[in-house]
Amino acid sequence: MSKKFHVSTTVNGDPVEFLCDSRETVLDVLRDRLSLTGAKEGCGTGDCGACSITVDDRLVCACLMLGAEAEGKSIETVEGIAAGEDLHPLQKRFIEYAALQCGICTPGILVAAKNLLEKHPDPTEEQVRYWLAGNLCRCTGYDKIIRAVMDTAAEMREAS
Amino acid sequence: MSVAKSLPHDAARLHVTGAARYVDDIPTPADTLHLAFGVSTIARGQITAMDLAAVRAAPGVVAVLTAEDLPFANDVSPSVHDEPLLSDGAVHYMGQPLFLVVASTHLAARKAAHLARIDYAEETPILTVEDALAANSRFEEGPRIWEKGSATAAVAAAPRVVSGLFEIGGQEHFYLEGQAALAEPQEGGDVIIRSSTQHPTEIQHKVGEALGIPMHGVRVETRRMGGGFGGKESQGNALAVACAVAARLTGRVCKMRYDRDDDMIITGKRHDIRIRYRAGFTEDGDVLGVEFWHYLRCGWAQDLSLPVADRAMLHSDNAYCIPAMRIESHRLKTNTQSATAFRGFGGPQGMVGIERVMDHVAHDLGIDPVALRQRNYYDALGEGGLSAPRASATHPPEGISQEKKDNLTPYGMAVEDFELHGMTARLLESAAYDARRAAVADWNASNDVIKKGLGFSPVKFGISFTLSHLNQAGALVHVYQDGSIHLNHGGTEMGQGLFQKVAQVAASRFGVDLEAVKITATDTGKVPNTSATAASSGSDLNGMAVKAACDTIRDRMAAHLAELHQCAVAQVRFDRGAVHVGAEVMSFAEAAHACYLGRVSLSATGYYKTPKLSWDRLRGQGRPFFYFAYGAALTEVAVDTRSGENRILRADILHDAGASLNPALDIGQVEGAYVQGAGWLTTEELVWDERGALRTHAPSTYKIPACSDRPDVFNVSLWDGQNREETIYRSKAVGEPPFMLGISAWLALSDAVAACGETYPALDAPATAEALWHAVRRVRDA
């Protein structure tokens, strides 16, 4: 078997170390080595967004980044969005608005939407639509997703 | 009561925290094995030599299986045993599984699968409709033909006639969760399967055959799917059977999931279809007769193609009472993926056929396409019935023929619940149709580059499996002595919210909060002999079965409590978490405990079978459907005539879910279905090359709608009627019917292109930007 890489990184605020093969993606590492299965493999080619995570606050597809490249980085996944039992406003709105059906695209969409609101607290609807255009959903038709993101943004602006 | 409330999806909190487990997320032992198929690289021929030495020698490979290594049945067909798990020597399509790699990791299995050296005696594949007709390559002995009256004579005698021929492409399901299965070997040769399937009983059946054991040795569990859409009705069989066989061989847990490319290359899709039509009509727009010829490419194996093609025929009338109709359906066998179930199950294809005819007739006569449709609608009958919604009192608009129609479908079923007159009137009003029709005409008169279009389409969709025996369901309900309730039924959850809707039924029957009801995974060990969660039937069938089980327990509890407190059974009420027994009031938990102490059985099964069905598919006569679900949509689009690029500007939808069990979930179904239907007819294009290779096998080349494609304005409402038939709380099925509302988007694009000249645009589907660019030129140059 090929050489293993020893990687030290931060996942959802916790220091994490793992060994991985040269070909393993961050998605493989998260799912198979760290038991964080919230990020999903929808296509494996960076087209569907189901594996969206942030790396040093940058939105990436975990299937397109190698595990070895995570050295020294800070990774955030869907599992880190809620503060313990307290859901993030986006998560609450997604439930309230029925902005999910089968739920398998939901983790990626939430990671992407949270990243958008951190960078652009007052997005236009068009901005939301194009920011999330890389996150495919086959169930909902997107309308409730966009409304949930827009209304969460408004709510968070008022709260801050 | 819990029913009729807009409660969130039962797993919503798990979904948003990433804690919802799909098959690939279930923790497995460290020595779990992973599987991958080696697939054919030609579309048709015979394998002359298969050298798997390099596959076996590849890192991590534990075993490699061919057809000869399978211990028992080599078949994963849901119908006629024509679908070997692994090729028996013949190759029927490019992507067909030939051998199975069992390895230590998913990646190791996939990499090894590419190392085989296979020699073929290649034959010329049958790929197109022409190829198949020339070779008489088909399922069934010849075309299926159904007829009402004499359509040929009616068309010949009609004052005006239009005819045409057009193609409607297939559609990839693109469930975000690919096919997946997991097999855990048990003592004594038994096996537990966890499968992302809409049909656990079918998986159980096929695994039993493959292992040479009775169905009782196989338990299949399905908690949830990451989308199904019909693509997991039969297409999961291969993975589950492969895992079961490998688990039996190795004694280890075996898991298989298709990579997206493999999934798209191996599994079946929506049937594409070529439709030829001739329609005769009067100068006023009364359609007198229509002839259809359907040519479906079914792919290499029969799978579910016969009922799919039947359902296309069954929806060739859609909402229109046409005095004479003839439908000739050819089910062609081709060397491509075996086309399978997909939301609507052939209904959408048939419906596009008649909507095309209506569009063409309206264009030919130069009359408003909505008025033409209303004129040809079935009559609204049965005013003032038991539960007639207020729509039934709505009369057709003025100028519409008042002559009574026979209201018989081309297959002889009386349409007794027609809702579309009232629905259409309300939609046109809420969407300001007349004003916007005028505004679009004004826009097009003064703009040469961007053309706008409006499209209206109604839906009348038949509800029930056309294979009548499938219309049955079972449930298992336990009440524990602390008052908590365990709910199980044969339906599967793929995102549609079935589990929540059925839990709402259970909570309502016991008069408790939803929190008292535990929703549990579909399990062949709890409810046997289930039908696929398909045909939109999930809530109808399982809701009624659960109601029956709950009522059995409730009646037992009431009888015991009445005796205990010396009151009449009729004086026992279950309401808002309490049980009223005469003058006594106790909590549901106290009541349950009292019944336990009184030695009352608190567990029951429930069963339901749909009434009133009788269907002869060979003659095409009878009542295949319990009732119809209705919908109507109006879509406005803009097309850039220089590039064909286009946008949906606005969609207005009114959909009939009867007395909705959960309006939030039902509206979600309507919205998602519309977008998926519009995707099918606009951007989703499947392309096979001349060798039979599917060239669009990833989201990079196959375009499903994205967030940026959503209509700018999207108004969706439910028609607040009640089902006239006695369904669960008078609700209606909602999974498939709104898919066909997407036809309005395709008609709107046609309308925009028609504004470029005088000729009828005659669009094929999907109307991609490229196709629209060509259509604009065709119309302009004519």
Side-chain angles (χ1 to χ4, degrees), chain A residues 1 21 23-24 28 31-32 35-50 78-82 84-87 90-92 94-98 100-107 109-110 125-126 128-147, chain B residues 8-9 11-13 15-22 24-25 59-60 104 106-107 111 171-178 224-227 229 257-261 342-343 493-496 647 664-665 667-669 671-673 675-676 679 684 698-700 702 704-712 714:
Chain A
M1 297 299 272
D21 295 336
R23 287 190 180 80
E24 275 185 72
D28 295 332
R31 293 181 56 81
D32 300 339
S35 297
L36 292 171
T37 55
K40 313 295 182 188
E41 182 179 312
C43 67
T45 50
D47 294 306
C48 79
V78 68
E79 287 91 346
I81 292 182
E85 289 297 302
D86 293 335
L87 297 182
L90 271 172
Q91 293 172 310
K92 290 181 193 162
F94 267 61
I95 296 174
E96 184 190 337
Y97 285 29
L100 51 87
Q101 288 183 30
C102 84
I104 201 154
C105 72
T106 310
I109 288 182
L110 285 168
E125 188 181 303
E126 190 174 7
V128 175
R129 290 166 53 144
Y130 283 85
W131 187 275
L132 295 179
N135 290 83
L136 297 179
C137 167
R138 192 53 151 165
C139 299
T140 65
Y142 304 105
D143 190 62
K144 294 174 193 299
I145 291 172
I146 293 167
R147 287 197 290 113
Chain B
H9 192 282
R13 192 183 168 94
H15 290 150
V16 300
T17 54
R21 276 184 188 163
Y22 303 80
D24 194 36
D25 303 335
S104 56
H106 175 72
L107 191 60
K111 287 178 69 161
Q171 186 177 28
E172 163 62 33
H173 301 84
F174 213 91
Y175 26 63
L176 256 285
E177 178 210 26
R224 65 173 58 81
M225 282 163 270
F229 314 114
R257 65 177 172 91
Y258 288 158
D259 166 84
R260 179 62 58 185
D261 293 77
F342 195 144
R343 203 175 200 169
E493 177 62 44
M494 61 196 98
Q496 79 278 46
R647 291 279 183 278
L665 295 178
I667 285 176
Q669 285 296 296
E671 291 178 353
V675 170
Q676 198 175 61
E684 298 186 34
S700 51
Y702 183 80
I704 71 166
C707 220
S708 43
D709 300 317
R710 154 193 169 270
D712 288 341
F714 200 10

Side-chain angles (χ1 to χ4, degrees), chain B residues 374 394 420-430:
Chain B
Q374 289 172 301
T394 312
L420 279 166
H421 291 288
M423 291 179 70
T424 303
R426 195 196 289 177
L427 179 73
L428 295 183
E429 189 186 341
S430 70

Side-chain angles (χ1 to χ4, degrees), chain B residues 527-560:
Chain B
V527 176
N529 307 323
T530 58
S531 296
T533 305
S536 305
S537 67
S539 300
D540 279 9
L541 295 178
N542 296 290
M544 286 299 250
V546 163
K547 173 176 175 282
C550 293
D551 289 356
T552 299
I553 297 174
R554 202 181 62 176
D555 290 350
R556 284 184 203 144
M557 291 176 73
H560 175 70

Side-chain angles (χ1 to χ4, degrees), chain B residues 765-777:
Chain B
T768 60
E770 186 182 351
L772 290 170
W773 186 90
H774 284 294
V776 166
R777 264 126 207 93

Side-chain angles (χ1 to χ4, degrees), chain B residues 477-552:
Chain B
V477 176
H478 307 317
V479 173
Y480 295 102
Q481 54 187 297
D482 66 352
S484 64
I485 297 160
H486 176 107
L487 170 64
N488 198 269
H489 53 81
T492 56
E493 177 62 44
M494 61 196 98
Q496 79 278 46
L498 169 68
F499 280 13
Q500 184 72 319
K501 285 164 79 167
V502 174
Q504 287 174 257
V505 170
S508 296
R509 300 317 289 175
F510 287 117
V512 297
D513 286 341
L514 206 53
E515 290 69 37
V517 180
K518 172 64 78 180
I519 292 168
T520 58
T522 317
D523 186 336
T524 57
K526 288 182 182 171
V527 176
N529 307 323
T530 58
S531 296
T533 305
S536 305
S537 67
S539 300
D540 279 9
L541 295 178
N542 296 290
M544 286 299 250
V546 163
K547 173 176 175 282
C550 293
D551 289 356
T552 299

Side-chain angles (χ1 to χ4, degrees), chain B residues 83-142:
Chain B
E83 206 170 322
L85 171 71
L86 300 174
S87 168
D88 53 10
V91 173
H92 300 282
Y93 76 103
M94 195 180 294
Q96 182 181 346
L98 308 182
F99 61 94
L100 176 66
V101 183
V102 184
S104 56
T105 69
H106 175 72
L107 191 60
R110 290 197 66 225
K111 287 178 69 161
H114 289 277
L115 300 176
R117 292 181 54 177
I118 297 171
D119 296 326
Y120 303 97
E122 201 167 345
E123 297 162 34
T124 306
I126 294 169
L127 298 173
T128 63
V129 169
E130 287 81 8
D131 293 346
L133 287 174
N136 196 32
S137 175
R138 61 173 72 237
F139 296 101
E140 299 189 300
E141 66 292 346

